[in-house]
Amino acid sequence: MNPKVDAYMSKSDQWQKEIKALRKILLDCGLSEEVKWGKPCYSSEGKNICVIQDFKQYFALLFFKGYLLSDPEKLLLKTGQNTVVGRQFRFDNAKQINEMAAIIKSYVFEAIEAEKSGAELPKEKKAEIPMPEELEKKLKKDAKLKKAFAALTPGRQKAILIHINQAKQAATRESRVEKVIPLILEGQGLND
């Protein structure tokens, strides 16, 4: 047991019982734990297998290479429409986790084996996401903003572009651009 995970648990107001239940299951599978990306992360032989995620609406266990799992129970969910490899179990309470302990363990063991096998992940298609005209104008006018946007990780840039492009009306796209500018300048993405 990693004391950093204990500290993480003590800060969680909503999901302490769920973290404790899931943590026990994952440690019983022989995984090592540490805190990565601000969340309890579990690995096998130095390879990340899964991470605990707590949200307002639900609690989840994300398998980094969930795409490779057979998912016989049809329980794994894509985290978003643009997700390629990660898959989540979602839970509402600790009782649900405890009742599914054997199923969760079987998925964890399959994920460990998938990692050991060196199975290939699908090649992500590098679909070009168009730069929204509204954002492009702002970037041309503001060198500081342009530099900050260029400094964002490709994933953060992609999320911002998708978010803006999803708006059908120009006024909505303009509003979204105005809302993301402070995030861009702080070096943050939409979900930070």
Side-chain angles (χ1 to χ4, degrees):
M1 293 182 128
N2 188 318
K4 290 180 181 177
V5 175
D6 293 327
Y8 177 87
M9 285 176 58
S10 69
K11 292 178 189 172
S12 177
D13 295 330
Q14 186 177 1
W15 301 110
Q16 283 190 8
K17 291 177 186 173
E18 289 75 11
I19 295 169
K20 186 177 180 180
L22 203 46
R23 182 185 196 194
K24 181 182 181 328
I25 292 167
L26 297 172
L27 292 174
D28 285 350
C29 292
L31 296 176
S32 301
E33 70 177 357
E34 57 188 291
V35 175
K36 289 185 178 180
W37 309 285
K39 307 280 184 193
C41 182
Y42 294 82
S43 60
S44 176
E45 298 178 14
K47 302 286 186 177
N48 294 331
I49 303 298
C50 54
V51 64
I52 291 177
Q53 301 175 307
D54 53 337
F55 300 96
K56 290 179 184 174
Q57 304 292 324
Y58 62 90
F59 182 80
L61 178 65
L62 174 84
F63 289 94
F64 289 102
K65 296 183 180 176
Y67 174 87
L68 296 174
L69 303 181
S70 61
D71 193 17
E73 304 288 331
K74 305 294 182 226
L75 297 170
L76 295 177
L77 303 169
K78 287 179 74 171
T79 57
Q81 69 181 32
N82 298 306
T83 300
V84 178
V85 295
R87 298 291 186 272
Q88 271 183 347
F89 267 134
R90 291 186 182 169
F91 306 101
D92 298 319
N93 55 61
K95 182 181 177 197
Q96 186 182 27
I97 293 169
N98 290 326
E99 288 172 352
M100 295 178 64
I103 293 169
I104 295 168
K105 283 183 180 182
S106 70
Y107 278 68
V108 170
F109 289 130
E110 185 180 356
I112 292 168
E113 289 306 312
E115 186 63 51
K116 285 180 182 177
S117 75
E120 290 292 316
L121 295 172
K123 299 289 184 211
E124 188 174 351
K125 296 176 185 170
K126 297 288 182 180
E128 188 67 31
I129 300 169
M131 174 67 72
E133 182 181 323
E134 296 80 1
L135 180 58
E136 189 170 24
K137 285 179 183 176
K138 295 282 186 182
L139 295 176
K140 284 182 180 178
K141 288 181 182 177
D142 187 339
K144 182 179 176 185
L145 180 63
K146 184 175 183 176
K147 183 177 179 181
F149 184 77
L152 293 176
T153 63
R156 287 182 173 134
Q157 288 179 3
K158 181 179 175 182
I160 288 170
L161 295 177
I162 289 170
H163 175 68
I164 296 168
N165 281 323
Q166 285 175 337
K168 292 180 178 29
Q169 296 183 6
T172 307
R173 286 190 300 274
E174 186 65 42
S175 172
R176 289 183 179 188
V177 167
E178 292 301 323
K179 288 179 182 175
V180 299
I181 286 174
L183 295 174
I184 294 170
L185 291 172
E186 291 176 17
Q188 296 185 355
L190 288 175
N191 302 314
D192 292 338

